[in-house]
Amino acid sequence: MNVRTGPPSTDYAMLRRDPEYAGLNRALLDLVPVGSGPAVLDLGCGDGAVSEQLLLRDAAMSLVGVDPDAALLDAARARLGERARFVEGDASAVARLFRPGVFDVVVLANCIHLVPDLTEALDAIGEVLGGGGRLVFNSAFYAGAESGADLPRYAELVAGARRAARERGLPLTRSAAGRPAGLRRTAGDYRTALVGAGFTDVATAEREFTLGPRFLTALCSTPMFATAALPGIDRHTAAELLTASLEKQYERAPFTITRRCVYFSATRP
């Protein structure tokens, strides 16, 4: 069976569009208060897919999206037009981009694992949230998200791509940085960081999801996964090798994987 869904992408757009991955974010939307026209910051908004869902839930909300990728922001503007405003930046920059206390809610939809300095980001978010404002986020990429039974599948996927790289004579190197910091965080780390940043009423939940080959195909195309799996190889090529390895793996025996997603809600006093 061919699991390809298109040419490998070098950003997160393909993963964001995957319907299975999008399902991880649906429970997050329930944590966002509606009905009072809140001012909402969709941080790490990407192409505006979650922004659109937020506006569908509450058309009266005032929504601003922030993302460091200009191309994704262009896609978000094309998607939502005048219904939202979009600004280029990252989590640590929001305190410089906006006035203190201007937002009622800040949302990070499955992207907080991409934030390198969590303490800096939470401090900046706390500045732009008004008193009583709410921060909500989720992640399916944290220490403990993978099912132990599925770890051999990930190992087989990477091993197949590495074999193909060696056959091509491509140089694999040791990754000096190792796994990105966000992937090493636990759910407990997030709770500790929230409390340390002064947030209160910290609530958390974990949900389990079953995901198919479309999700893994999209994951193979992200820099986060491709560069960690095949360090030293151009990420375009790494994504291609990983996708080809996944296709062969799936043709031998179709499978799904189980993954947990953690959800947090916290209040700025």
Side-chain angles (χ1 to χ4, degrees):
M1 177 179 176
N2 191 327
V3 300
R4 296 176 189 265
T5 59
S9 167
T10 55
D11 56 32
Y12 295 89
M14 183 177 175
L15 188 61
R16 294 176 194 272
R17 289 194 299 267
D18 178 64
E20 295 171 320
Y21 181 77
L24 301 176
N25 293 328
R26 293 191 188 108
L28 182 69
L29 299 178
D30 292 335
L31 300 177
V32 178
V34 297
S36 57
V40 177
L41 172 61
D42 183 5
L43 187 50
C45 65
D47 62 4
V50 170
S51 299
E52 184 175 37
Q53 292 302 310
L54 287 166
L55 287 167
L56 286 173
R57 287 168 54 86
D58 186 355
M61 75 170 48
S62 170
L63 189 140
V64 179
V66 169
D67 199 275
D69 190 315
L72 288 177
L73 289 176
D74 286 341
R77 293 184 185 103
R79 179 194 294 268
L80 292 174
E82 299 299 318
R83 290 191 287 162
R85 182 165 67 94
F86 295 96
V87 180
E88 187 172 344
D90 58 26
S92 63
V94 294
R96 300 190 297 273
L97 294 172
F98 306 106
R99 300 189 312 276
V102 70
F103 293 107
D104 301 306
V105 183
V106 174
V107 179
L108 291 96
N110 219 353
C111 62
I112 199 164
H113 51 274
L114 301 175
V115 173
D117 190 326
L118 184 60
T119 299
E120 182 182 24
L122 291 177
D123 286 344
I125 290 168
E127 287 190 38
V128 299
L129 269 174
R134 185 178 299 181
L135 167 64
V136 300
F137 64 85
N138 67 332
S139 180
F141 299 99
Y142 62 101
E146 301 95 343
S147 163
D150 288 329
L151 291 177
R153 298 195 188 278
Y154 288 103
E156 181 183 351
L157 167 62
V158 174
R162 285 174 170 263
R163 283 194 299 271
R166 287 192 291 268
E167 289 169 2
R168 290 194 192 184
L170 298 174
L172 284 165
T173 64
R174 290 182 179 272
S175 174
R179 285 165 60 85
L183 303 186
R184 298 195 299 270
R185 295 180 196 132
T186 65
D189 290 334
Y190 283 116
R191 173 180 285 278
T192 299
L194 285 165
V195 173
F199 285 87
T200 61
D201 302 323
V202 178
T204 184
E206 286 187 90
R207 295 171 182 246
E208 194 171 86
F209 294 85
T210 300
L211 300 162
R214 286 176 59 95
F215 169 83
L216 280 174
T217 302
L219 180 63
C220 287
S221 299
T222 65
M224 175 185 71
F225 189 81
T227 57
L230 300 176
I233 295 179
D234 171 79
R235 65 187 189 186
H236 297 254
T237 304
E240 176 190 341
L241 292 170
L242 286 163
T243 304
S245 176
L246 173 63
E247 186 170 284
K248 291 178 181 178
Q249 186 179 356
Y250 192 81
E251 285 175 349
R252 288 194 295 272
F255 62 91
T256 58
I257 63 167
T258 299
R259 198 168 189 93
R260 286 184 291 275
C261 187
V262 65
Y263 297 83
F264 276 93
S265 173
T267 302
R268 181 189 181 278

